Amino acid sequence: MKRSKAPTTRRAEIQQLYQSYSAGMTSLPASALLKFLHKEQMELTADEDTAESLIDRYEIEETARENRSMTFEGFLRYMESKVCCVFNQAHTSVYQDMDQPLTSYFISSSHNTYLTGDQLIGKSHLDAYVWALRKGCRCLEIDTWDGPDMEPIVYHGYTLTTKILFKDVITTVAQHAFEVSPYPVILSLENHCSQQQQEVMAQYLVSILGDMLLTAPLDHLAGGELPSPNDLKCKILIKNKKKKPRIKTEQATEESADEGEEDYDDLEDEEDDEDHQTKTKFWSPRKAGPKKEEKKVVIAEALSDLVIYTRSVKFIGFSHSRDHQSHFENTSMAEKKARKLASGSGLNFVQHNQRFLTRIYPAGSRMSSSNYNPQEFWNVGSQLVALNFQSLGLPMDLNDGRFQDNGGCGYVLKPAVLLPSDRSFDPICSRHRLKPTHLLLKVISGSNLPVSRSNKGLDPFVRVEIHGIPSDSRKKNTQTVKNNSLSPHWDSDMNFIISVPELCLIRFCVRDQTGLLSSEFVGQYTLPFTSMMKGYRWVPLRSRDGCSLDPASLFIFVWNSLHTYSSCRFSMYKNMRRCDI
């Protein structure tokens, strides 16, 4: 990203830093630049070669280059470059272990992917699938219903949302599935079709997806474990109910005379089924009397055969799953049930998600397609935390922040506390490690903040939010600067104590103070704690829809005690005033 010229205020701040290390000389020697990298940027692995490579890259004055030194203009170019972005540039590529089972990853997941608006009268559109895939989404939802002329359709059942053809959805997925990520795509089917139209669905899946469709288990895998993202590169998996295998014995024949359980698709639990909720809440007459039994969907064998590692089953309880659920079976549950389990049985939920895939989706009562906070379900290790990608706001900011990590590939390795080990983890418990992590943030200044359409003056302040386990989640504000969008200066220190930093997201949100107790969104940026660089860094701001607001940015100083530095070192930084900025 090419940065625009630094505003006067930031230029002055960077010049103070430069002068404190150049010691009155006209240029900054490589040795002094290395000292800056060690002491301020906390890049402890940097050496003389590192400093000289920065001079070669950012210094354009020949004399300075020959003397292995850096002028102020070269130093300014370096400080405004991607190298000094708050987001670790090494994390813009895939860097995590991609050979773990699918259960070991957070997987970017979409709910009602076909919708571009609300789930009552909103439009269904193929572009919604393109949008989700280009944002790195790896689990797409497709709600299928019988359509005219034996053409299955996709829409939100029992509503006035528009309809699109299933075959067009699959064609769109085939065209865009691996544009931004080579890792597997899961098609989560909410299947309401007759057997005849399920046969048509299966034909489309096979004929359109071709070799991309996973149609048989992988040969080299050991039993009892799901394949890894690397195992499934450029493959599309079908998530749906599956017929139980028939055991050809005399006893089994007698027991399966009633074929109900093995051939029917119950979709989700009745209380969780999204379309059932919609129908009950808005269209069903509220009359007393016996409950009418819902018609069950009979699974077509051709579609059932395409379900390999992602067979959907009903969630009954953690102990039942532990005793009866197979590694290739997954469960789905609405946010209300998941929230109750997370708050009351957090330890069991974490252990469940170490063995099985779990999908969480928004309550059916969210008719405007609003979202829940996904962090509460990442805290217990749920992999498929599905959100309405078309709905803007905090939940999608967190989702974008989480999944920009690991190259934006849609798969992020869960932290060690959520993976199988001898130690147990309950996110509700307030004490998790003997030495908590100290995070010091100094919000120094901003530049080129966007103003409102009315072109009125901006009274900006910055809110820094920590999103993690409940005991770690908090937010702090800077003071408000009056009528300054070009170069507001806050110079505000914030100190956070965090017990599980590897689960945390940090969100910088710039707001316009519009009244004593009111403010409006200006821009934000969210990133994982583990991707945040130390030292003097700039923060790129994004709009409400996630687009870059370049050149709008913040200038900050970051220090944390996660891996290095003593408590006295922390105290020194906490009280730092060396540069008087």
Side-chain angles (χ1 to χ4, degrees):
M1 180 193 303
K2 184 179 179 181
R3 302 288 298 152
S4 60
K5 186 176 180 180
T8 304
T9 300
R10 186 181 300 178
R11 186 182 180 92
E13 291 156 352
I14 294 174
Q15 192 158 26
Q16 287 183 14
L17 280 172
Y18 179 81
Q19 289 172 348
S20 68
Y21 282 88
S22 60
M25 294 185 288
T26 56
S27 62
L28 187 69
S31 59
L33 178 58
L34 181 59
K35 184 178 179 182
F36 171 80
L37 294 176
H38 285 167
K39 190 172 182 180
E40 305 295 351
Q41 304 300 73
M42 285 158 272
E43 298 178 14
L44 302 184
T45 59
D47 55 20
E48 287 187 11
D49 289 340
T50 307
E52 292 195 4
S53 70
L54 292 176
I55 291 171
D56 291 335
R57 186 172 181 181
Y58 297 105
E59 183 54 62
I60 61 174
E61 189 178 287
E62 269 313 309
T63 304
R65 287 167 63 93
E66 289 173 1
N67 293 332
R68 311 316 291 151
S69 61
M70 184 178 274
T71 64
F72 170 66
E73 293 300 329
F75 186 73
L76 182 63
R77 277 189 289 274
Y78 156 67
M79 290 295 291
E80 289 284 295
S81 72
K82 275 187 176 182
V83 177
C84 288
C85 178
V86 70
F87 185 78
N88 188 338
Q89 295 303 292
H91 294 187
T92 60
S93 301
V94 174
Y95 69 95
Q96 296 177 344
D97 180 4
M98 303 303 285
D99 291 313
Q100 298 300 310
L102 291 181
T103 48
S104 296
Y105 299 85
F106 295 129
I107 304 171
S108 181
S109 304
S110 167
H111 172 254
N112 289 350
T113 313
Y114 47 89
L115 287 179
T116 58
D118 67 67
Q119 59 184 40
L120 269 183
I121 59 173
K123 289 185 178 180
S124 304
H125 205 287
L126 298 174
D127 285 348
Y129 285 94
V130 179
W131 167 251
L133 287 167
R134 287 180 176 170
K135 283 176 73 71
C137 183
R138 299 287 87 187
C139 182
L140 310 172
E141 184 175 31
I142 308 176
D143 290 5
T144 60
W145 298 80
D146 282 355
D149 303 319
M150 286 296 290
E151 285 287 357
I153 55 175
V154 175
Y155 83 114
H156 194 60
Y158 310 113
T159 70
L160 301 177
T161 56
T162 58
K163 303 173 178 65
I164 52 180
L165 295 180
F166 177 79
K167 67 178 179 182
D168 291 342
V169 170
I170 302 307
T171 299
T172 300
V173 170
Q175 292 170 346
H176 300 280
F178 304 109
E179 270 185 18
V180 302
S181 171
Y183 295 106
V185 170
I186 300 171
L187 299 184
S188 181
L189 304 184
E190 188 167 314
N191 174 22
H192 302 265
C193 287
S194 63
Q195 279 189 297
Q196 292 78 8
Q197 295 214 16
Q198 286 180 60
E199 298 277 355
V200 176
M201 288 168 56
Q203 292 170 15
Y204 284 141
L205 290 167
V206 172
S207 62
I208 296 172
L209 297 180
D211 291 340
M212 290 185 286
L213 181 65
L214 186 73
T215 56
L218 303 180
D219 294 332
H220 67 282
L221 288 180
E225 214 170 60
L226 287 175
S228 71
N230 270 341
D231 290 327
L232 296 168
K233 265 189 173 180
C234 297
K235 288 296 182 183
I236 295 176
L237 285 67
I238 305 302
K239 175 182 170 297
N240 192 55
K241 293 290 177 73
K242 184 179 179 70
K243 283 180 133 182
K244 291 185 178 179
R246 297 177 185 273
I247 303 172
K248 295 185 178 180
T249 66
E250 190 173 317
Q251 180 183 1
T253 304
E254 292 175 3
E255 290 178 353
S256 63
D258 179 4
E259 298 177 354
E261 185 179 354
E262 62 190 61
D263 287 348
Y264 289 137
D265 184 348
D266 293 330
L267 297 172
E268 316 296 348
D269 297 345
E270 185 174 287
E271 64 182 278
D272 293 340
D273 175 18
E274 302 163 55
D275 294 296
H276 182 275
Q277 286 186 26
T278 304
K279 180 181 179 183
T280 302
K281 186 172 181 66
F282 291 93
W283 307 117
S284 297
R286 300 187 177 184
K287 295 181 180 178
K291 188 176 180 180
K292 185 178 178 181
E293 185 176 342
E294 293 287 329
K295 183 179 179 181
K296 293 182 178 180
V297 176
V298 181
I299 299 298
E301 190 157 352
L303 185 60
S304 174
D305 289 344
L306 300 181
V307 179
I308 309 300
Y309 291 117
T310 44
R311 175 185 181 181
S312 299
V313 297
K314 181 177 179 179
F315 179 80
I316 296 174
F318 293 129
S319 58
H320 182 274
S321 293
R322 186 170 55 249
D323 295 338
H324 301 286
Q325 191 171 333
S326 298
H327 68 281
F328 55 83
E329 295 177 329
N330 63 85
T331 54
S332 293
M333 63 184 78
E335 59 175 290
K336 183 178 179 181
K337 174 182 281 188
R339 187 173 294 115
K340 183 177 180 181
L341 291 171
S343 61
S345 306
L347 175 60
N348 289 330
F349 212 159
V350 169
Q351 292 173 341
H352 175 86
N353 288 326
Q354 290 170 353
R355 299 179 61 192
F356 310 112
L357 290 175
T358 303
R359 178 176 177 266
I360 314 295
Y361 59 86
S365 56
R366 292 182 180 270
M367 289 298 119
S368 63
S369 291
S370 61
N371 284 312
Y372 51 76
N373 186 326
Q375 184 67 45
E376 59 183 320
F377 304 119
W378 290 327
N379 286 342
V380 292
S382 297
Q383 301 86 356
L384 304 167
V385 180
L387 297 178
N388 294 300
F389 272 44
Q390 75 276 23
S391 298
L392 310 178
L394 172 65
M396 277 306 299
D397 291 345
L398 299 181
N399 198 75
D400 291 345
R402 174 73 66 195
F403 290 105
Q404 72 168 314
D405 194 8
N406 204 30
C409 73
Y411 285 80
V412 172
L413 188 65
K414 294 195 289 189
V417 294
L418 295 176
L419 298 178
S421 70
D422 295 333
R423 299 184 64 183
S424 59
F425 174 76
D426 184 346
I428 302 301
C429 178
S430 59
R431 292 181 176 272
H432 292 282
R433 55 160 50 99
L434 295 176
K435 292 184 179 180
T437 295
H438 293 266
L439 171 64
L440 172 70
L441 289 173
K442 177 186 276 290
V443 181
I444 302 170
S445 62
S447 66
N448 300 295
L449 304 181
V451 296
S452 63
R453 292 180 181 177
S454 62
N455 209 29
K456 75 172 187 66
L458 201 67
D459 296 341
F461 69 92
V462 180
R463 177 175 296 158
V464 178
E465 304 166 0
I466 310 294
H467 295 269
I469 64 170
S471 61
D472 287 342
S473 299
R474 63 200 64 204
K475 55 189 175 184
K476 296 183 180 181
N477 295 343
T478 67
Q479 73 277 18
T480 298
V481 173
K482 292 289 185 181
N483 197 28
N484 191 338
S485 62
L486 181 62
S487 55
H489 191 90
W490 295 285
D491 196 24
S492 179
D493 290 333
M494 298 180 182
N495 179 23
F496 300 93
I497 298 177
I498 302 173
S499 59
V500 192
E502 53 267 53
L503 261 173
C504 284
L505 294 169
I506 315 297
R507 183 174 186 255
F508 297 88
C509 187
V510 181
R511 300 190 68 84
D512 178 21
Q513 191 81 53
T514 56
L516 184 62
L517 299 175
S518 61
S519 62
E520 293 180 356
F521 177 90
V522 175
Q524 70 85 34
Y525 185 73
T526 306
L527 77 164
F529 178 97
T530 51
S531 294
M532 187 163 58
M533 296 292 285
K534 298 177 184 178
Y536 289 95
R537 305 289 169 178
W538 58 272
V539 179
L541 292 178
R542 293 181 177 176
S543 63
R544 195 178 295 277
D545 60 2
C547 295
S548 171
L549 289 173
D550 187 60
S553 62
L554 302 176
F555 189 48
I556 65 172
F557 178 84
V558 181
W559 180 87
N560 72 66
S561 63
L562 182 57
H563 300 300
T564 57
Y565 299 97
S566 64
S567 57
C568 64
R569 180 75 166 163
F570 171 72
S571 298
M572 182 183 74
Y573 273 104
K574 183 178 178 183
N575 298 305
M576 71 177 174
R577 288 294 184 269
R578 188 182 57 73
C579 289
D580 193 30
I581 61 175

